[in-house]
């Protein structure tokens, strides 16, 4: 239980506290440095999109925030409280399992390959954690799940198993499943990459709705530049585990300053 | 008697038994591979007769016990005028039994080669025999190697039953020593360790090596 | 031609059928032991104690790599050497139960490994507890895969029961041997034993395959 090296506050006490703060976050797999002293703030209600070449660490950022794995250095803060660490005897120590489970409640995640539970119906997928983790009654959980399935346009598919749903429908159920936990931050990892082109729209439509109607904080990895540009408050271009460039979408897409950003964007435009 | 003394006294006998076990294993493995190839390919035939014959063989040998088959071959076949010497009866029974299991591995291995490979070979106008030999089988072979490793260990274990028709293999020797000395832990324990070493010290590394060679050959590494 | 005597068959069949009962009993008892013990061996390998993991792993490897018939002798004869007498049935059930427990522990492991990583991650992202993740998400999905292997080994243990005859368990093979040496006729008893095995194992294997398909279907996995 090594404390993080360097100086980290036990909690953020500035007058303005970001929803999420990555401070000096490093993640390695063996010798490979996947995230390299990353600093990133996400404000409450902000939609931040991450773009960048394959292998640049985009997924890793989300997985670290979801605490699917431990970071090697640095601290992630959530609403000013440390998320990856906890305070003990006036210092930060690695969060234990219990602390992590409580912190994870604030965060929802949607995966590229949906990861729906195949042996449960759409509705069962959406009520499992609210009942088991949040302690909702079955009636409450079902009501909440049906509202959300209705919101993503799949109320009539409530009793279907995932194997009977199309890719786009699966992803919409997965979004509903995450939202049922009422997270403060939603993470989307290439949620349209595994989909056939004609059903991508139904998923982006749902995300658009979330942005317009709810004040959710969102962090999204995508290869759909048009969608990113239209919907984001800020776009971060990742390269080699670092943020190479970030800014408002118009600025980053129209006047990228860095050469790597320009190369990446022209290569992506070439492909579409 | 210390364990060292035990090994000094009975080591040579155990070594002789081990040699017999190795020979039984090699002969049975050769037979099993041959049968597996033939029966496995027959199971892919479109001819109902060929397919049916292989299926009957496989179901009968997998549906009954090796020990029953061994006794049947050794005690009953002579009534049909086919008397086999016990050593021969031993490896034939083991080989025929494990060959039936191997046939399913061959069939599965061949079916595991993606359909696109068959289509590509057909598009190149390859004859069925060429296609099987040059394109399909090498890929199937690699896919089958891991389960064959387990099967060969089952085969080695199966040879222990030939002791019951008095083939003087490792198991037989261990029983004999036990009968004379009543040092059961030493006699059976040592034999168990020797079997373990044959499995994990010879068969497993050999199959790993073969897998490595084939992987490189097929350019998959 | 080869002198098959139906009336001899009539004489010995009741005795063989009675022994079939013992064979089935041995298979089911041994399997019961294996199912429970196998689960313990599998879970022991998933704990976070490296020494325990390693020891159990090596033990399972050892049992799987050595002949069952030798293990049966070992258990039966080593006890008395140290003053513990085991009946043939007790020794036989310990040996065969332990042998198949090692196989089943691998089946359970493979079943759990067959569940994609994404399922664990989804469960984690929903803050499900470890116990809940196992019981609600992972094990239900591992069952169809494990069921196939468990079925194979149920038929397998049944076919291995003849080895219990070597220490005098009065199952089918033992009875056939006895009949053979009483009457100096082996054709009918050994052939009948073979047929009885076929008559039980083939339909069982078929039924298990069907059941596996049903299970997958009922869980919506197809
Ligand atoms: N579990 C892991 N073990 C080893 N390397 C990993 C692991 N996960 C990811 N990586 C490596 O980390 C780098 C970044 O991965 P990732 O964040 O998935 O990239 P992206 O999502 O931007 O394509 C890649 O080089 C990848 O190979
Ligand atoms: Mg990624």
């Amino acid at each position: 239980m090594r404390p993080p090296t360097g100086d980290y506050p036990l909690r953020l006490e500035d007058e303005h506290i970001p929803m999420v703060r990555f401070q000096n976050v490093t993640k390695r797999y063996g010798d490979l440095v996947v995230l390299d002293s990353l600093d990133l703030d996400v404000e409450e209600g902000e939609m931040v999109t991450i773009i960048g070449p394959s292998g640049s660490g985009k997924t890793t950022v989300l997985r670290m925030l979801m605490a699917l794995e431990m970071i090697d250095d640095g601290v992630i803060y959530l609403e000013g409280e440390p998320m990856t660490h906890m305070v003990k005897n006036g210092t930060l120590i690695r969060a234990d399992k219990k602390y992590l489970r409580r912190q994870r409640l604030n965060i929802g995640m949607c995966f590229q390959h949906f990861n729906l539970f195949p042996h449960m119906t759409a509705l069962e997928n959406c009520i499992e954690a609210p009942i088991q983790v949040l302690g909702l009654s079955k009636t409450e959980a079902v009501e909440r799940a049906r509202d959300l399935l209705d919101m993503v346009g799949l109320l009539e598919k409530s009793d279907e198993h995932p194997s009977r749903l199309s890719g786009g429908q699966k992803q919409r159920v997965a979004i509903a499943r995450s939202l049922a936990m009422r997270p403060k931050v939603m993470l989307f990892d290439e949620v349209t990459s595994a989909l056939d082109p004609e059903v991508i729209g139904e998923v982006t439509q749902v995300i658009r709705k979330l942005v317009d109607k709810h004040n959710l904080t969102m962090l999204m990895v995508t290869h759909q530049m048009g969608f990113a540009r239209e919907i984001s408050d800020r776009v971060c271009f990742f390269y080699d585990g670092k943020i190479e460039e970030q800014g408002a979408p118009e600025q980053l897409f129209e006047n990228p300053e860095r050469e790597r950003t320009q190369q990446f964007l022209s290569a992506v435009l070439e492909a579409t | 008697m210390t364990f060292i003394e035990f090994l000094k006294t009975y080591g040579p006998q155990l070594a002789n038994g081990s040699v017999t076990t190795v020979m039984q294993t090699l002969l049975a493995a050769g037979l099993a591979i041959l049968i597996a190839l033939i029966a496995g390919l027959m199971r892919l035939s479109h001819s109902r007769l060929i397919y049916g014959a292989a299926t009957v063989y496989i179901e009968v040998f997998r549906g009954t016990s090796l020990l029953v088959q061994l006794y049947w071959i050794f005690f009953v076949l002579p009534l049909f005028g086919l008397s086999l010497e016990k050593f021969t009866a031993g490896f034939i029974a083991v080989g025929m039994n494990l060959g039936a299991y191997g046939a399913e591995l061959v069939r599965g291995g061949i079916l595991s080669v993606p359909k696109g490979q068959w289509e590509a070979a057909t598009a190149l106008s390859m004859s069925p025999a060429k296609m099987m030999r040059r394109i399909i089988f090498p890929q199937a072979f690699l896919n089958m190697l891991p389960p064959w490793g387990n099967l060969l260990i089952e085969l080695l274990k199966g040879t222990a039953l030939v002791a019951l028709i008095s083939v003087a293999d490792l198991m037989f020797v261990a029983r004999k020593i036990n009968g004379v000395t009543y040092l059961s832990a030493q006699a059976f324990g040592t034999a168990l360790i020797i079997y373990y070493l044959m499995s994990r010290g010879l068969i497993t590394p050999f199959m790993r090596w073969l897998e490595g060679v084939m992987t490189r050959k097929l350019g998959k590494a | 031609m080869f002198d098959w005597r139906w009336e001899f068959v009539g004489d010995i069949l009741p005795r063989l059928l009675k022994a079939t009962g013992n064979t089935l009993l041995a298979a089911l008892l041994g399997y019961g032991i294996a199912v429970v013990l196998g689960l313990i061996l599998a879970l022991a390998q998933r704990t976070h104690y490296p020494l325990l993991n390693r020891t159990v792993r090596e033990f399972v490897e050892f049992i799987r790599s050595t002949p069952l018939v030798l293990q049966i002798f070992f258990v039966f004869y080593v006890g008395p050497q140290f003053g513990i007498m085991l009946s043939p049935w007790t020794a036989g059930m310990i040996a065969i139960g332990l042998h198949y427990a090692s196989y089943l522990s691998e089946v359970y492991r493979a079943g759990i490994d067959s569940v994609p990583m994404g399922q664990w991650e989804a469960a984690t992202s929903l803050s499900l507890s470890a116990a809940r993740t196992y019981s609600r998400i992972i094990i239900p999905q591992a069952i169809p895969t494990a069921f196939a292997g468990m079925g194979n080994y149920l038929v397998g243990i049944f076919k291995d029961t003849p080895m219990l005859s070597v220490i005098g368990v009065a199952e089918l093979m033992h009875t056939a041997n006895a009949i053979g040496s009483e009457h100096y006729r082996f054709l009918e008893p050994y052939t009948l034993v073979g047929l009885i095995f076929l008559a039980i194992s083939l339909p069982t294997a078929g039924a298990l395959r069907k059941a596996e398909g049903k299970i997958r279907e009922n869980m919506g996995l197809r």
Side-chain angles (χ1 to χ4, degrees), chain A residues 29 32 34 53-61 69 189-190:
Chain A
Y29 290 111
L32 182 72
V34 180
S54 171
S56 56
K58 306 181 298 293
T59 296
T60 307
V61 174
E69 276 179 79
D189 186 14
E190 295 196 34

Side-chain angles (χ1 to χ4, degrees), chain B:
Chain B
M1 193 188 250
T2 65
F3 189 57
I4 302 289
E5 284 166 357
F6 174 84
L7 281 186
K8 274 209 185 108
T9 318
Y10 296 104
Q13 286 185 48
L14 287 165
N16 279 338
S18 304
V19 170
T20 306
T21 290
V22 169
M23 283 178 14
Q24 283 280 327
T25 302
L26 289 177
L27 290 166
L31 182 64
I33 292 169
L34 188 71
I35 290 176
L37 281 177
I38 296 173
L41 288 173
M42 284 169 71
R43 285 269 284 172
L44 292 168
S45 166
H46 292 300
S47 147
R48 293 183 66 156
L49 189 70
I50 295 176
Y51 171 88
T55 305
V56 169
Y57 174 83
I58 290 169
E59 294 292 345
V60 166
F61 275 83
R62 297 204 319 171
T64 58
S65 308
L66 173 54
L67 189 56
V68 178
Q69 292 154 24
L70 180 69
Y71 281 0
W72 209 89
I73 287 175
F74 188 61
F75 292 108
V76 177
L77 267 193
L79 306 178
F80 296 78
L82 187 61
S83 282
L84 294 174
E85 216 257 312
K86 63 192 177 197
F87 184 88
T88 317
F91 79 79
I92 285 188
V94 177
M96 289 184 79
N97 179 272
L98 274 300
Y101 288 89
E104 288 301 90
L105 297 186
V106 169
R107 175 170 166 274
I110 288 173
L111 290 178
S112 75
V113 177
K115 218 171 141 221
Q117 294 290 310
W118 299 79
E119 291 174 352
T122 311
L124 293 169
S125 307
M126 283 191 164
S127 72
K130 260 232 164 76
M131 173 154 75
M132 187 53 88
R133 216 176 58 233
R134 308 270 322 154
I135 308 296
I136 305 302
F137 198 74
Q139 301 183 52
F141 187 65
L142 184 60
N143 293 346
M144 288 184 231
L145 277 179
W148 267 99
N150 286 332
L151 196 68
L152 289 181
I153 288 174
E154 291 302 320
L155 186 143
L156 166 68
K157 289 159 64 181
T159 63
L161 290 178
V162 303
L164 301 179
I165 56 168
S166 303
V167 177
D169 73 339
L170 180 53
M171 164 86 197
F172 185 86
V173 171
R175 262 184 99 180
K176 209 173 85 187
I177 297 171
N178 178 63
V180 177
T181 64
Y182 296 105
L183 296 174
S184 310
Q186 290 87 329
F188 293 129
T190 313
L192 281 171
I193 291 170
I194 298 175
Y195 276 110
Y196 179 72
L197 292 177
M198 288 182 187
S199 297
R200 300 294 158 184
L202 294 176
I203 297 179
T204 306
F206 171 74
M207 292 306 288
R208 288 248 169 80
W209 170 83
L210 193 59
E211 229 175 291
V213 169
M214 285 310 295
T215 308
R216 255 169 280 130
K217 250 197 162 149
L218 292 185
K220 284 202 173 170

